[in-house]
Amino acid sequence: AVNNGANGKTSTQDWYGQSASATASGSAAQSTGGSAASSSASQTSTSAVSTQTSGGNAPSGQYSAPHYVIYADKYLSQLPSASDLSNYNRFILAFWMTESGPVDNAQAWESFDASYRQQILDEYHAAGIALMVSAFGSTDSPTTNGADPTATAQKLAAWVKQYGLDGVDIDYEDMSAMNSNQAESWLVTFQKELRNQLPEPFLISHAPVAPWFTSGSNYPGGAYVDVHKQAGDGISFYNIQFYNQVRLH
């Protein structure tokens, strides 16, 4: 996913569903080796979340697979209605970044007054839609830039709870860190603390590029296979970037 403080997921132009994001797989606890379905959602996981209120209360209820995911890239002066989202049931605002916090549509959500945020949450939840935020993106390199994983998780979780979201999608694309075997330990520490701060029924998904789920020699540290083994029990589902295939070495 591309992010420069003004751009979001490369595969999603807006919320109309013209180009939906990568595949959503089943829950980490149930998937094997981080494999994911090849369509826009899987059939296998059960992740909790439902009625959330804007202002820090934990979600309650349950959201089950399949997870049909769509990202918001264009800056929105108002959010789409539940009927506009049609069959998409996971609407993800882009982005929250390590240094600057919310940008683009995450910043727009923060700027809305509390009554409007609550109106949107009530409408979405009645339709079974979870509202989430995407963290990092392709221009944010938290490991390479020396961000502390525990503090980063705490900061992100605090924002999610403050603004009433149902969860977070981790769009980690620190290629240098992954290629140098530095990413795995950072992600495991980050994910464990994030789940500690956002216990179920909050949703936590991850959106890695597909090659990070291989067992090839390019990633002796294990890439997301290792992350899954160590922290996958706290990941609600995977949102694999099959659309974003490039040579990473």
Side-chain angles (χ1 to χ4, degrees):
V2 175
N3 171 15
N4 61 9
N7 297 315
K9 285 273 188 179
T10 54
S11 70
T12 302
Q13 304 306 313
D14 53 36
W15 47 263
Y16 288 103
Q18 295 172 345
S19 179
S21 80
T23 300
S25 82
S27 71
Q30 295 178 348
S31 64
T32 57
S35 61
S38 59
S39 61
S40 62
S42 78
Q43 309 289 327
T44 57
S45 74
T46 299
S47 301
V49 171
S50 184
T51 55
Q52 166 77 300
T53 59
S54 179
N57 295 333
S60 62
Q62 291 226 335
Y63 277 140
S64 301
H67 304 283
Y68 294 107
V69 175
I70 189 166
Y71 293 79
D73 181 5
K74 289 169 59 177
Y75 191 90
L76 301 176
S77 59
Q78 62 181 24
L79 266 62
S81 67
S83 60
D84 287 329
L85 292 175
S86 186
N87 291 326
Y88 292 101
N89 60 8
R90 309 290 176 257
F91 185 46
I92 303 181
L93 305 172
F95 279 94
W96 184 95
M97 300 182 70
T98 309
E99 295 296 327
S100 53
V103 299
D104 299 344
N105 283 310
Q107 187 177 38
W109 177 254
E110 182 181 86
S111 72
F112 296 146
D113 62 52
S115 61
Y116 177 70
R117 290 197 302 266
Q118 190 60 56
Q119 174 188 331
I120 290 296
L121 289 169
D122 290 344
E123 180 184 356
Y124 282 11
H125 295 152
I129 298 168
L131 183 63
M132 303 167 67
V133 65
S134 178
F136 308 139
S138 68
T139 60
D140 195 357
S141 300
T143 306
T144 298
N145 293 337
D148 179 83
T150 300
T152 301
Q154 292 169 349
K155 184 178 177 183
L156 173 57
W159 189 84
V160 167
K161 289 186 284 190
Q162 181 178 358
Y163 290 99
L165 298 180
D166 298 312
V168 59
D169 179 66
I170 305 305
D171 183 13
Y172 181 92
E173 299 188 46
D174 193 338
M175 304 297 180
S176 295
M178 191 65 78
N179 292 341
S180 59
N181 305 319
Q182 302 298 310
E184 293 90 346
S185 61
W186 194 97
L187 279 165
V188 168
T189 299
F190 168 82
Q191 167 60 33
K192 288 183 176 180
E193 180 60 22
L194 188 63
R195 180 52 84 190
N196 180 55
Q197 294 293 322
L198 297 176
E200 292 185 349
F202 284 102
L203 288 169
I204 300 175
S205 60
H206 282 238
V209 296
W212 288 352
F213 263 127
T214 67
S215 58
S217 60
N218 283 343
Y219 304 106
Y224 254 88
V225 174
D226 185 67
V227 174
H228 175 74
K229 287 178 180 177
Q230 295 194 56
D233 58 352
I235 297 174
S236 306
F237 62 94
Y238 288 104
N239 211 20
I240 311 296
Q241 294 188 44
F242 287 115
Y243 67 91
N244 195 17
Q245 297 309 289
V246 295
R247 184 172 176 82
L248 303 180
H249 289 268

